[in-house]
Amino acid sequence: MSLRGISAQLTLSAPSKLDITIAQATLQGREWRKLALYCPDARIERDLIECRRGLLDVGEKFPLTFQYRPGARSLALTLFPESTERWQAQLLWRGDNLAASLEVKNGKAARLNPWLPEQSIRFNQGVIDLTGKLEWGVQARGKLDVSATLRNGGFSDAAGTRAGEKLAGTLTLQAVRADTWRWKVSTAWREGEVFWQPFYIAPGERRLSAQGSWQDAQAVVDQAQLEWAGIGTAQLSGAWNRAAGRIEHLQVAAKSLALDPLYRTFMKPWAQDGVLSKLTLSGVADGAITFKQGALEEANLVIRQGGLKHEEKMFGLAGIDASLAWQQNQARENRINVSSGFVGKLPLGAFSVRATLAPDRVSVAPLTLPILDGALTMEGVEAQRENNDWRWSLSAALQPISMQRLSQALQLPAMHGTLSAVIPQVIYARQSLTVGGALLFKVFDGAVVVTDLRATDLLSPTPHGYANIDMRNLDLDLLTRTFSFGNIQGRLDVAVNALELFAWRPVKFDAKVASSPGEYPRKISQRAVENITSLGGAGGTAALQRSFLRFFDQFGYERIGLSCRLERGMCEMAGIEDVPQGYLIVKGGGIPALSVIGYNRRVGWEELLARIQRATQGGKPIVQ
Amino acid sequence: MNKWMNLCFIGMLAFASAALAAADLEINTPAITALKNTMQARHGQLAPHYASGAVGLTRDGNVALRDASSVPLAARQSVNGLVADENRDRAGLYREIARANGHPEWEAEVRSTFAQRWIDKAASGWWVQNAGGAWVRK
């Protein structure tokens, strides 16, 4: 504290008048200029200087009274900033010892603004009641006792990104100094809400009690307890290295924390978009973390009866029982047991994950994920930390799943046979997934090979996907029966090259459907002809219905071929070959033979999808 | 009101697209259409916050929470979410337009062109960042 340019003027009259002006005053780094104290009703006696109706001008004017007794070395000072507001201090010197007391009644919280450690934040509302006592001695002895309450408090920064409203709470602090300060604090936040970007803390009761010591080198918390209504209780202890400005050590342990409110309050706000922001959790967890010299040393988490569900029902897991551990310099074993789950409409059976977690590496023991009557087995599941990001790799195989059960689960038309797959290598890093080698499926008695499969921005709502798909020798009889398309007998090859998906919808591809090479029966029903015709445009069906051919149910054919090159929402269509009116989709052969010609070369993709849907759902094709 | 907002949004988008001579900023792919649709749907929710000054248009083609004091505390997280979602879609739009033009490396130019045009076309009373980064009211 320093005062400069002090001048005092005493006018001895009845009553006496005392005016004091200070050009510049500094206290705790804060500076005031042109301070003035006016006492029009001063009482000056041998052992008393008293001001009964004074006025302090610090820019703002405050009525005040004070009494100073030089003999007793005591000062009593009361400020009345407003009619119901009172700030009262008493100071008493005994030798080298000081005893001070402070009492605040209905103090405006905003008066603390200049003293707040974070100057971008300001109290804009609130009333404080406070009583405090301080004893201070020269031999490093001291005692502090403070009790305060805040009512209807509000604070904010300029942008409103850190703000609180209608806050109410209490604080008690006791500290004793014998060489070092030992302190004990207890706070309760009873009312009000806070938004501290990105977190929002809704009204609810929270309590913190702590005790520790305060030295020049470090601040130590011997023991603290945080109770958070709705979430649970955490115990913590630690030391803050004041010189280095870092955590020397910190231990936090919590029991039976409610996972859903914990996630909603503290984790969800970090995941603003994407799947991680749309989860609902259940269950409870015990957790413990240890920091040493500014870095995480160990973390343990036990989850009991946990559950996880995506809000849009993309996936979910239930009955999670997990014991997870991570340590800075040591690999630790982790286990997760899940009793059931789902991905989309597919149910998952119980499975267990055993994983070894090292600081920069995760390796998972071979894992079997039951899906209906089959399973997805994963091997070589490994994650490696690279430049602050994790790179996952694995290989997998889909053990045969009955198509009947799969189609039933996916609410698709009943299919037969089995689905199995080999997935040689999957790599996931930076929200991108790449499948190395070829993905092999077996469906409709044919083989499906997916190559160059990759997806980017996977956790965002707008992921991109890319692939080349090659299907060989699909049994058209099985395929058309499944989709109520009208029967076709034969074999089909389908190639979808340069497939590009945006938000899982095709936006670009070059697709070709053609009869497989080889000898096999080739028959097509009249209904299938109608449906194929409707895909390629109008005209053919009407001609068929008018001709004698309508008397036949089935026709022979030589080849089927149709292609669609999708770009910018339009499908550029072609067939086996061009003919004067359009392009040939079905080339007739045998008796009776029938050729199908497509007329529209450009069809809007959405329109084509609608036509396929109408055709495969067994409805009557609309012929324009 | 919503119709007016949508018209306003489409107008802004079209105006913004009329720049960057070398690139076709009006190019349309399903990805661009999808992004425009979600941005258009969100515009109705963001427009009152532009008008109140809670959210402003930044000089780098994004939007930002600039003075949320008029928004109730419990709603600030969702405004935050709107801002984050909008910025994600804007980034996606700039990226997709550059890609659709066959020049992914043009993304920064597309962004800065859009940034200037969003600001030029902002309604009177909205807050925008000037070249120095300071907030000014149009």
Side-chain angles (χ1 to χ4, degrees):
Chain A
M1 176 176 167
S2 76
L3 303 172
R4 283 185 190 171
I6 306 171
S7 70
Q9 190 178 347
L10 176 65
T11 310
L12 292 171
S13 54
S16 298
K17 200 172 141 198
L18 176 65
D19 294 340
I20 301 172
T21 57
I22 300 168
Q24 186 187 359
T26 51
L27 178 61
Q28 300 273 319
R30 191 169 180 236
E31 190 178 284
W32 292 266
R33 287 174 186 273
K34 292 183 184 170
L35 303 184
L37 172 66
Y38 305 107
C39 253
D41 186 10
R43 195 170 143 206
I44 312 286
E45 293 175 4
R46 190 169 166 272
D47 193 28
L48 176 71
I49 300 173
E50 187 180 36
C51 176
R52 285 174 291 198
R53 289 185 292 111
L55 191 73
L56 178 68
D57 185 352
V58 287
E60 205 177 340
K61 291 186 174 68
F62 300 126
L64 92 166
T65 66
F66 72 82
Q67 271 187 341
Y68 177 57
R69 294 181 186 276
R73 297 182 67 199
S74 72
L75 172 70
L77 172 72
T78 309
L79 293 171
F80 303 93
E82 286 180 13
S83 61
T84 57
E85 187 179 1
R86 193 178 77 214
W87 296 68
Q88 192 170 25
Q90 286 194 328
L91 294 99
L92 180 66
W93 285 267
R94 284 276 180 271
D96 291 324
N97 297 325
L98 167 69
S101 67
L102 175 69
E103 188 173 348
V104 180
K105 279 270 176 221
N106 298 321
K108 269 190 171 176
R111 301 200 197 285
L112 300 176
N113 286 340
W115 314 102
L116 294 176
E118 174 59 63
Q119 277 296 293
S120 62
I121 291 173
R122 289 275 184 269
F123 272 109
N124 46 34
Q125 233 187 351
V127 177
I128 291 169
D129 288 335
L130 180 146
T131 55
K133 279 185 182 165
L134 171 72
E135 289 172 20
W136 187 259
V138 282
Q139 290 165 329
R141 305 246 157 225
K143 200 174 162 191
L144 179 67
D145 202 334
V146 177
S147 169
T149 63
L150 170 71
R151 301 189 304 277
N152 197 27
F155 69 86
S156 181
D157 64 1
T161 51
R162 291 175 294 174
E165 284 175 6
K166 298 188 174 66
L167 297 167
T170 57
L171 167 90
T172 59
L173 168 69
Q174 282 115 35
V176 178
R177 188 182 191 202
D179 298 325
T180 61
W181 281 103
R182 296 211 48 83
W183 53 265
K184 197 173 170 183
V185 69
S186 170
T187 64
W189 166 5
R190 299 213 159 86
E191 290 170 23
E193 52 185 342
V194 168
F195 176 66
W196 196 278
Q197 194 174 16
F199 305 107
Y200 169 70
I201 318 284
E205 185 139 342
R206 285 111 207 170
R207 290 170 181 276
L208 172 72
S209 55
Q211 60 185 53
S213 61
W214 180 269
Q215 297 159 33
D216 290 340
Q218 65 177 8
V220 177
V221 177
D222 296 328
Q223 190 196 335
Q225 177 165 300
L226 175 65
E227 294 168 54
W228 197 287
I231 295 180
T233 302
Q235 316 281 343
L236 54 117
S237 62
W240 173 255
N241 186 327
R242 296 179 64 201
R246 67 154 193 238
I247 295 171
E248 203 60 45
H249 63 93
L250 173 69
Q251 297 80 38
V252 184
K255 280 217 177 289
S256 298
L257 296 181
L259 278 172
D260 195 53
L262 183 72
Y263 159 74
R264 282 179 191 283
T265 309
F266 295 107
M267 297 169 204
K268 190 176 171 178
W270 287 111
Q272 277 293 349
D273 55 7
V275 292
L276 296 181
S277 68
K278 289 180 178 159
L279 300 179
T280 304
L281 304 188
S282 57
V284 290
D286 300 340
I289 50 170
T290 308
F291 281 88
K292 216 161 209 176
Q293 291 174 337
L296 181 63
E297 190 188 51
E298 189 178 348
N300 292 283
L301 184 70
V302 174
I303 297 171
R304 296 188 300 276
Q305 281 307 304
L308 176 158
K309 203 182 274 183
H310 185 260
E311 284 169 9
E312 285 152 19
K313 299 190 177 165
M314 280 168 63
F315 58 85
L317 297 173
I320 302 171
D321 179 9
S323 171
L324 310 171
W326 181 91
Q327 204 165 338
Q328 197 179 38
N329 299 314
Q330 202 180 325
R332 296 280 299 268
E333 293 303 314
N334 287 256
R335 59 161 190 84
I336 304 169
N337 295 329
V338 178
S339 62
S340 66
F342 67 90
V343 177
K345 290 172 185 162
L346 273 187
L348 304 178
F351 63 94
S352 295
V353 183
R354 298 276 181 279
T356 308
L357 212 60
D360 290 324
R361 212 170 67 82
V362 179
S363 59
V364 182
L367 168 67
T368 301
L369 212 63
I371 303 172
L372 299 169
D373 56 344
L376 180 68
T377 56
M378 291 184 254
E379 290 189 350
V381 183
E382 297 240 340
Q384 191 80 34
R385 196 151 113 164
E386 289 174 356
N387 305 322
N388 274 337
D389 197 41
W390 287 87
R391 182 178 185 274
W392 288 84
S393 60
L394 60 93
S395 64
L398 190 63
Q399 311 297 340
I401 296 177
S402 115
M403 288 298 284
Q404 198 171 3
R405 292 193 60 181
L406 183 69
S407 50
Q408 197 179 3
L410 298 177
Q411 292 165 9
L412 290 172
M415 298 182 215
H416 300 281
T418 56
L419 174 72
S420 60
V422 178
I423 307 161
Q425 191 193 31
V426 180
I427 294 169
Y428 177 82
R430 296 175 193 277
Q431 285 199 45
S432 293
L433 186 106
T434 310
V435 177
L439 202 71
L440 302 169
F441 290 99
K442 286 192 172 162
V443 284
F444 297 116
D445 199 32
V448 179
V449 180
V450 182
T451 52
D452 304 316
L453 176 62
R454 65 193 172 91
T456 58
D457 307 315
L458 265 178
L459 295 181
S460 85
T462 50
H464 279 85
Y466 307 87
N468 290 316
I469 304 170
D470 198 21
M471 307 181 204
R472 290 290 163 98
N473 231 23
L474 302 183
D475 184 337
L476 270 170
D477 188 30
L478 280 177
L479 187 72
T480 50
R481 264 196 285 160
T482 301
F483 291 105
S484 320
F485 189 78
N487 183 254
I488 309 177
Q489 286 174 36
R491 294 273 169 176
L492 197 70
D493 292 348
V494 180
V496 184
N497 289 316
L499 170 65
E500 199 177 318
L501 303 162
F502 180 79
W504 306 123
R505 294 174 73 89
V507 292
K508 202 173 175 185
F509 60 70
D510 195 348
K512 196 173 271 184
V513 173
S515 294
S516 308
E519 289 300 317
Y520 46 80
R522 291 169 162 87
K523 293 277 179 204
I524 183 164
S525 72
Q526 185 164 149
R527 214 176 96 68
V529 168
E530 286 175 12
N531 279 324
I532 290 179
T533 311
S534 74
L535 297 184
T541 309
L544 179 73
Q545 282 168 349
R546 282 194 300 272
S547 79
F548 74 95
L549 289 173
R550 70 178 186 275
F551 297 114
F552 295 93
D553 284 339
Q554 271 200 331
F555 306 96
Y557 70 90
E558 187 190 318
R559 280 165 71 197
I560 296 176
L562 184 65
S563 68
C564 161
R565 190 186 170 87
L566 175 69
E567 202 160 11
R568 297 186 190 183
M570 293 301 286
C571 186
E572 195 78 43
M573 299 183 85
I576 303 161
E577 60 192 47
D578 284 353
V579 292
Q581 309 94 316
Y583 49 92
L584 199 57
I585 301 173
V586 180
K587 189 172 184 182
I591 300 171
L594 177 88
S595 291
V596 178
I597 294 165
Y599 296 95
N600 294 353
R601 288 212 175 261
R602 282 171 65 81
V603 182
W605 173 241
E606 296 298 328
E607 171 57 23
L608 185 63
L609 277 183
R611 287 182 190 178
I612 291 171
Q613 201 173 14
R614 275 197 297 270
T616 53
Q617 282 174 352
K620 197 134 180 81
I622 295 172
V623 178
Q624 297 152 337
Chain B
M1 184 68 179
N2 267 340
K3 235 179 206 173
W4 183 87
M5 280 175 186
N6 287 342
L7 278 176
C8 178
F9 173 83
I10 292 164
M12 283 165 66
L13 202 64
F15 190 83
S17 304
L20 204 70
D24 175 8
L25 298 189
E26 289 190 67
I27 197 161
N28 247 329
T29 65
I32 291 170
T33 307
L35 285 165
K36 282 180 180 174
N37 287 345
T38 54
M39 288 169 72
Q40 193 176 336
R42 189 181 304 111
H43 185 70
Q45 292 171 270
L46 273 170
H49 299 303
Y50 292 138
S52 74
V55 178
L57 307 179
T58 67
R59 58 182 168 162
D60 61 357
N62 278 337
V63 297
L65 200 62
R66 61 160 290 280
D67 179 9
S69 46
S70 60
V71 181
L73 285 190
R76 282 183 206 181
Q77 214 172 27
S78 68
V79 180
N80 231 7
L82 283 174
V83 166
D85 290 350
E86 177 70 9
N87 286 338
R88 185 204 58 228
D89 284 354
R90 285 181 173 216
L93 182 71
Y94 307 146
R95 189 175 60 234
E96 290 300 327
I97 288 176
R99 275 174 46 159
N101 274 279
H103 288 278
E105 72 280 7
W106 285 357
E107 187 182 330
E109 283 81 1
V110 172
R111 175 183 278 273
S112 70
T113 307
F114 266 88
Q116 194 47 51
R117 300 301 170 174
W118 293 121
I119 286 172
D120 290 346
K121 204 62 190 164
S124 170
W126 291 12
W127 288 80
V128 299
Q129 258 180 351
N130 66 16
W135 289 108
V136 289
R137 195 169 186 198
K138 278 198 74 173

